[in-house]
Amino acid sequence: MLDLLIKNADVISTAPGAVTVRHGHDIAIQGNRIDAVLPTGQIDAGRAKEVIDASEMIAMPGLINAHCHNAMVLFRGAGEDVSIERWFNEVIWPLESNLTAEDVYWGALLGLAEMIEAGVTTVADHYFFMDEVARAVEQAGTRANLGWAVFSAGVERPENKLRETTEFVERWQGGADGRITTWLAPHSPYTCDEAFLRLSADWARKLNVGIHTHVSETREQVQISLTKTGRTPFEVLRDAGVFEVPTIIAHAAHPTDGDIALMARAGAGVAHCPKTFLKLAAGIAPVLKMREAGIPVGIGSDGVVSNNTLDILEQTRLAAMLQKHENRNAEVLTIADALTMACNDGARVLHLPDLGDLAPGKLADLILIRTDSPHMQPVLNVTANVLYSAQAADVDTVICNGKLLMRGRNLLTLDKRQIIAEVRSRMARLQQRIPGQRLQTYEA
Amino acid sequence: MLDLLIKNADVISTAPGAVTVRHGHDIAIQGNRIDAVLPTGQIDAGRAKEVIDASEMIAMPGLINAHCHNAMVLFRGAGEDVSIERWFNEVIWPLESNLTAEDVYWGALLGLAEMIEAGVTTVADHYFFMDEVARAVEQAGTRANLGWAVFSAGVERPENKLRETTEFVERWQGGADGRITTWLAPHSPYTCDEAFLRLSADWARKLNVGIHTHVSETREQVQISLTKTGRTPFEVLRDAGVFEVPTIIAHAAHPTDGDIALMARAGAGVAHCPKTFLKLAAGIAPVLKMREAGIPVGIGSDGVVSNNTLDILEQTRLAAMLQKHENRNAEVLTIADALTMACNDGARVLHLPDLGDLAPGKLADLILIRTDSPHMQPVLNVTANVLYSAQAADVDTVICNGKLLMRGRNLLTLDKRQIIAEVRSRMARLQQRIPGQRLQTYEA
């Protein structure tokens, strides 16, 4: 018996360098893996426990969010039309100092509901109170790489905080039926000193995990690092041994050519979050150059206080359009490249080689997108319609690890009314700004 | 009696320089006008023929699409990842030579269905076979400024073609209960010679209408104009008398400071279409500068072969983010500015002063946006959620000229299944590329 048979979809495969569309294909799922993808009718529907008719739908791999601060959804809209300094010091870090573990749990559920509704099946989440986030992921049925954010700046005995996060790593590694992986998450070279970064790298090596951190977000960060240390933020990380373990480099908006070579040699992965960077006017990462150097560049949503949605399709579209704009060349970063970034490259960044494509043997993380709306018609070009015309709301069905999480836009694992009500009940307290109370200080 | 009462919405007013949000307000509609906007409960619901509960919804003016080639939806996805030259010469102009009047009718209906679903109540449509487009607008119930596109390059006796379009103007001016206005639409200074532009301006003056045209889309167009004529495309239009009538200047991606001053003096309006310009790598218009000069800059979708959707919310979001990026300043082109562009400034560009705001006395063109989805929660910042988090699919209800066009996402004036079926039946023929057959030739 098969567990699930999806019938008659237009199937997008996102193998690197070989994005293909197969019209009228069936997808067989057995357990948590894709068993077969064949022309419709070749698989006996009678063998399947459940059959989904995907006529007028596009099937593609579940989208991968390679960098996120998920529970920040609690503060959506709180920091608009402000510089990055004001954004950190007047909005984010004061507000985040209000968070309790329970707030983060409900925030994470709200964000996971949003991501499932947008076809995002995997997220690299870099935040606080990560045990609660892991519980939320367990419940939602999605896949996640979780890192507990830590700072050394202004923290007494930061090594103790780091140790607590290594305990989280051990507690949840491989949790939720293998859907959860855990990495370390020192926040950035501008909030973590070199000794702390070295300690993080040492721990990551011992635990056999990677490091998820923020690097070279602004020109000013690079300049300050050069002035203070004589090295770029990437070089500081290198000297601390961070590149000796797997890395998710969030943003990398302003790498030097040397930094790009360094990432390529190290096998580092980049998470590109273009909407944040437009909104904060921080500059756009040289995605083409990084891809040409062989660096996997996945797509991230960042937190919604800068990005406002967790919609990876929206970010991927922006990523493609902005590289055309920045390079003054309409022919670069093609639709195939962009879809590869959102799926296969995201999986490479997270070191999850069984993800990122819709093909036999891969983990069964996939989504169905409706095409029967005016804005998706006619379907002359399946991949163009997905990248440039679809909305998150066109995602009809979401499957992760072989299990249905959404069908006909109904969430099957989460109760969104309850989640929204819980979140609302917390907002009066969470919106307070207590003078002098903030998590960190941003200097630029 | 009132015709319609909308109860308990968060109401966004987009008066220029005074975007406001009023929580929990009711909107009374009488005939085709907004009668009152008052705190909920102050208007007797018993007086209304129809009542809509808009709790958990945001009300705002209908969005205005200030530049569109609507029926190009027929070719959605046909020209991807190509330069502007290839886009015109290998894709658009060969394909458009296949169009019949009936094709344009069904294409226009498909596009109008998409626009209603995206909350767009008014469109400035610049295309061919405009009688059929007017019929489609009449049926859809939306508002439109229609211009029949004409060229002089390569056309025998182009003045005859122009005269036919003046007859269209007279035939449909004020049609569909006043929802239709008609202007002239010489395509651009690169496809129309100066004599033809002068003739267009003369006709527009006689007819007391405006001109809708494309200007300075690329750096190369400006350079070629300077080389050939010693003047910028804007100066050519000025010398032809075009600025002596109202104008919709589509794109204006590369105006000189002198061109901006010229537009400001003339009272010209600009239609800004950022997605097209990212995708074709043609450069982004200096929107801030134009706004500072007092030029109304509305938001356009352009045609979907470059833009891929007719979603004005998506374009407005891009417009705001790109000005932050291009000016390296996160504090410019605020949310209030952006919403003003999509509504009030669009109305100014189209010379429709009774549109563009949700306030007593204005025409009753408004939309309701749902906020009860995870990606719209919490609602700390109503205008931020609309601009930066909403999807077109969050538009629940659309009212134009006092009439309901969509409710609960059900289209009330158009049958989208029939429209999609009709469009599909035409696609095999429409996709043919007949060697040597094309509408125009683009030279750059």
Side-chain angles (χ1 to χ4, degrees):
Chain A
M1 287 295 282
L2 291 169
D3 289 303
L4 183 58
L5 181 65
I6 295 162
K7 282 195 72 72
N8 199 28
D10 285 347
V11 177
I12 301 178
S13 161
T14 52
V19 170
T20 60
V21 178
R22 281 167 290 178
H23 296 279
H25 270 58
D26 294 354
I27 304 160
I29 293 168
Q30 180 66 52
N32 67 347
R33 300 263 167 188
I34 295 167
D35 187 66
V37 181
L38 291 167
T40 200
Q42 291 194 9
I43 304 167
D44 176 11
R47 284 176 55 211
K49 288 184 199 155
E50 184 161 12
V51 177
I52 293 177
D53 179 7
S55 304
E56 310 269 326
M57 294 199 202
I58 296 163
M60 67 176 289
L63 300 165
I64 294 176
N65 186 346
H67 176 66
C68 183
H69 313 289
N70 181 15
M72 278 176 94
V73 289
L74 294 166
F75 304 118
R76 192 191 311 267
E80 297 299 330
D81 298 324
V82 293
S83 68
I84 196 164
E85 294 80 4
R86 293 181 57 199
W87 186 87
F88 270 124
N89 291 333
E90 298 176 19
V91 182
I92 298 315
W93 282 336
L95 291 175
E96 286 187 335
S97 71
N98 296 328
L99 287 171
T100 66
E102 198 73 356
D103 295 332
V104 168
Y105 172 70
W106 289 104
L109 285 175
L110 183 66
L112 288 165
E114 177 180 350
M115 283 192 267
I116 294 170
E117 288 192 345
V120 178
T121 49
T122 298
V123 61
D125 190 358
H126 184 290
Y127 213 54
F128 312 105
F129 301 112
M130 297 307 283
D131 287 287
E132 279 67 26
V133 175
R135 282 204 294 133
V137 168
E138 193 167 42
Q139 188 180 338
T142 52
R143 212 176 285 283
N145 170 307
L146 304 179
W148 193 314
V150 278
F151 310 96
S152 68
V155 177
E156 269 185 63
R157 304 190 59 87
E159 64 277 13
N160 289 351
K161 293 282 173 196
L162 182 66
R163 186 170 316 109
E164 286 171 32
T165 75
T166 66
E167 290 160 11
F168 163 74
V169 162
E170 292 182 309
R171 207 152 49 234
W172 280 96
Q173 187 65 278
D177 299 321
R179 289 184 280 111
I180 290 177
T181 51
T182 50
W183 284 18
L184 294 180
H187 178 267
S188 66
Y190 60 88
T191 56
C192 300
D193 62 34
E194 207 163 332
F196 188 77
L197 291 169
R198 184 168 297 112
L199 195 60
S200 301
D202 288 345
W203 269 110
R205 209 177 299 108
K206 275 181 220 157
L207 292 164
N208 196 27
V209 299
I211 284 181
H212 182 177
T213 190
H214 301 80
V215 189
S216 294
E217 301 166 314
T218 67
R219 295 170 191 87
E220 293 71 23
Q221 285 175 12
V222 179
Q223 201 47 58
I224 290 170
S225 178
L226 287 169
T227 304
K228 282 192 181 167
T229 73
R231 290 163 297 159
T232 69
F234 284 96
E235 290 164 345
V236 170
L237 290 175
R238 175 201 61 199
D239 292 349
V242 168
F243 287 117
E244 293 160 31
V245 300
T247 46
I248 301 173
I249 302 298
H251 308 316
H254 301 285
T256 64
D257 288 348
D259 294 336
I260 291 175
L262 168 57
M263 281 193 280
R265 273 196 309 275
V270 166
H272 177 53
C273 308
K275 192 172 172 190
T276 285
F277 279 68
L278 288 179
K279 284 193 66 205
L280 292 174
I284 291 299
V287 170
L288 275 195
K289 260 195 186 179
M290 295 193 287
R291 283 174 57 84
E292 280 160 11
I295 299 166
V297 181
I299 302 288
S301 68
D302 209 351
V304 301
V305 187
S306 49
N307 194 81
N308 301 62
T309 74
L310 300 170
D311 179 345
I312 289 300
L313 214 46
E314 181 193 18
Q315 313 316 311
T316 309
R317 179 182 301 182
L318 278 175
M321 295 195 297
L322 287 166
Q323 289 305 305
K324 294 175 189 296
H325 174 59
E326 297 280 305
N327 293 283
R328 292 199 185 181
N329 184 347
E331 309 200 348
V332 301
L333 221 145
T334 63
I335 293 168
D337 293 339
L339 295 180
T340 301
M341 288 174 73
C343 301
N344 196 281
D345 291 341
R348 289 168 68 201
V349 172
L350 273 58
H351 287 249
L352 296 171
D354 286 0
L355 278 192
D357 195 7
L358 204 169
K362 291 281 181 178
L363 285 165
D365 291 15
L366 59 140
I367 63 178
L368 302 178
I369 299 173
R370 291 178 65 152
T371 63
D372 60 352
S373 302
H375 67 276
M376 291 288 279
Q377 286 290 326
V379 191
L380 303 182
N381 185 332
V382 169
T383 56
N385 281 19
V386 167
L387 184 63
Y388 286 122
S389 304
Q391 302 166 37
D394 295 319
V395 176
D396 178 87
T397 297
V398 174
I399 294 161
C400 182
N401 213 34
K403 297 269 193 309
L404 277 162
L405 308 187
M406 182 169 81
R407 188 163 179 189
R409 290 207 66 73
N410 293 305
L411 294 177
L412 303 175
T413 53
L414 300 177
D415 178 346
K416 65 182 171 183
R417 278 167 183 267
Q418 181 199 14
I419 295 167
I420 289 172
E422 280 283 352
V423 164
R424 284 187 185 170
S425 73
R426 292 160 195 275
M427 291 319 302
R429 175 176 47 79
L430 285 175
Q431 286 184 79
Q432 294 174 333
R433 299 193 199 187
I434 297 158
Q437 183 183 304
R438 67 183 175 211
L439 220 55
Q440 273 291 317
T441 299
Y442 184 82
E443 285 166 32
Chain B
M1 287 296 283
L2 292 168
D3 289 304
L4 183 57
L5 182 65
I6 294 162
K7 283 195 70 74
N8 199 28
D10 285 347
V11 177
I12 301 178
S13 162
T14 52
V19 170
T20 59
V21 177
R22 282 167 291 177
H23 296 279
H25 271 57
D26 293 355
I27 304 160
I29 293 168
Q30 179 66 51
N32 68 347
R33 299 264 167 187
I34 295 167
D35 187 66
V37 181
L38 290 168
T40 200
Q42 292 194 8
I43 303 167
D44 177 11
R47 283 177 55 213
K49 289 184 200 153
E50 185 162 10
V51 178
I52 293 177
D53 179 8
S55 305
E56 310 269 329
M57 294 199 203
I58 296 163
M60 68 176 289
L63 300 165
I64 295 176
N65 185 345
H67 177 65
C68 183
H69 313 291
N70 181 14
M72 277 176 94
V73 290
L74 295 166
F75 304 118
R76 193 192 308 268
E80 298 298 330
D81 298 324
V82 293
S83 68
I84 196 165
E85 294 81 1
R86 293 180 58 198
W87 186 86
F88 270 124
N89 291 332
E90 298 177 20
V91 182
I92 297 314
W93 282 336
L95 290 175
E96 285 186 336
S97 72
N98 296 328
L99 287 172
T100 66
E102 198 74 356
D103 294 333
V104 168
Y105 173 71
W106 289 105
L109 285 176
L110 183 65
L112 289 165
E114 177 180 350
M115 282 192 268
I116 296 171
E117 288 192 345
V120 178
T121 50
T122 298
V123 62
D125 191 357
H126 185 288
Y127 212 55
F128 313 106
F129 302 110
M130 297 306 284
D131 287 287
E132 280 66 27
V133 175
R135 283 204 294 132
V137 168
E138 193 167 42
Q139 189 180 337
T142 52
R143 211 176 287 282
N145 171 306
L146 304 180
W148 194 315
V150 277
F151 311 95
S152 68
V155 177
E156 270 185 61
R157 303 190 58 88
E159 62 278 14
N160 290 351
K161 293 280 172 198
L162 182 65
R163 184 169 318 108
E164 286 170 33
T165 75
T166 66
E167 290 160 12
F168 163 74
V169 162
E170 292 182 310
R171 208 154 45 237
W172 280 97
Q173 186 65 278
D177 299 322
R179 289 184 280 110
I180 291 177
T181 50
T182 50
W183 284 17
L184 293 180
H187 178 267
S188 65
Y190 60 89
T191 57
C192 299
D193 62 35
E194 207 163 330
F196 189 76
L197 291 169
R198 184 168 298 111
L199 196 60
S200 302
D202 289 344
W203 269 109
R205 210 177 300 107
K206 276 181 220 157
L207 292 163
N208 197 26
V209 300
I211 284 181
H212 182 176
T213 190
H214 301 81
V215 190
S216 294
E217 301 167 314
T218 67
R219 293 170 191 87
E220 293 71 22
Q221 285 176 12
V222 179
Q223 200 48 57
I224 290 170
S225 178
L226 286 169
T227 303
K228 284 190 181 168
T229 73
R231 291 163 296 158
T232 68
F234 284 96
E235 291 164 346
V236 170
L237 290 176
R238 175 201 60 199
D239 292 349
V242 169
F243 287 117
E244 293 160 32
V245 300
T247 46
I248 302 173
I249 302 299
H251 308 316
H254 301 285
T256 64
D257 287 348
D259 294 338
I260 292 175
L262 168 57
M263 282 193 281
R265 272 197 309 276
V270 166
H272 177 55
C273 309
K275 193 172 171 190
T276 285
F277 279 68
L278 289 179
K279 283 192 68 205
L280 291 174
I284 290 301
V287 171
L288 275 194
K289 261 195 187 179
M290 295 194 287
R291 283 174 56 84
E292 280 161 12
I295 298 166
V297 182
I299 302 288
S301 69
D302 209 352
V304 303
V305 187
S306 49
N307 194 81
N308 301 63
T309 74
L310 301 170
D311 180 345
I312 290 300
L313 213 47
E314 181 194 18
Q315 313 316 311
T316 309
R317 179 184 301 182
L318 277 175
M321 295 195 298
L322 287 167
Q323 289 305 307
K324 294 175 188 296
H325 174 59
E326 297 281 304
N327 293 284
R328 292 198 185 181
N329 184 348
E331 308 200 349
V332 300
L333 222 145
T334 62
I335 293 167
D337 292 338
L339 295 180
T340 300
M341 289 174 73
C343 301
N344 196 281
D345 291 341
R348 290 168 67 201
V349 172
L350 271 58
H351 287 249
L352 296 170
D354 286 358
L355 278 192
D357 195 7
L358 205 169
K362 291 281 181 179
L363 286 165
D365 291 16
L366 60 140
I367 63 177
L368 302 178
I369 298 173
R370 291 177 66 150
T371 64
D372 60 352
S373 302
H375 66 276
M376 290 290 278
Q377 287 289 328
V379 191
L380 303 182
N381 185 333
V382 169
T383 56
N385 281 19
V386 167
L387 183 64
Y388 286 123
S389 304
Q391 301 166 37
D394 295 318
V395 176
D396 178 87
T397 297
V398 174
I399 295 161
C400 182
N401 212 34
K403 297 269 193 311
L404 277 161
L405 307 187
M406 181 170 81
R407 187 160 179 191
R409 289 207 66 73
N410 293 306
L411 294 177
L412 303 175
T413 53
L414 300 176
D415 178 346
K416 65 183 172 184
R417 277 165 184 267
Q418 182 200 14
I419 295 167
I420 290 171
E422 281 283 352
V423 164
R424 284 187 185 171
S425 72
R426 292 159 194 276
M427 291 318 302
R429 175 176 48 78
L430 285 175
Q431 286 184 79
Q432 293 175 334
R433 299 192 199 185
I434 297 159
Q437 182 183 304
R438 66 182 177 213
L439 220 56
Q440 274 291 318
T441 299
Y442 184 83
E443 284 165 33

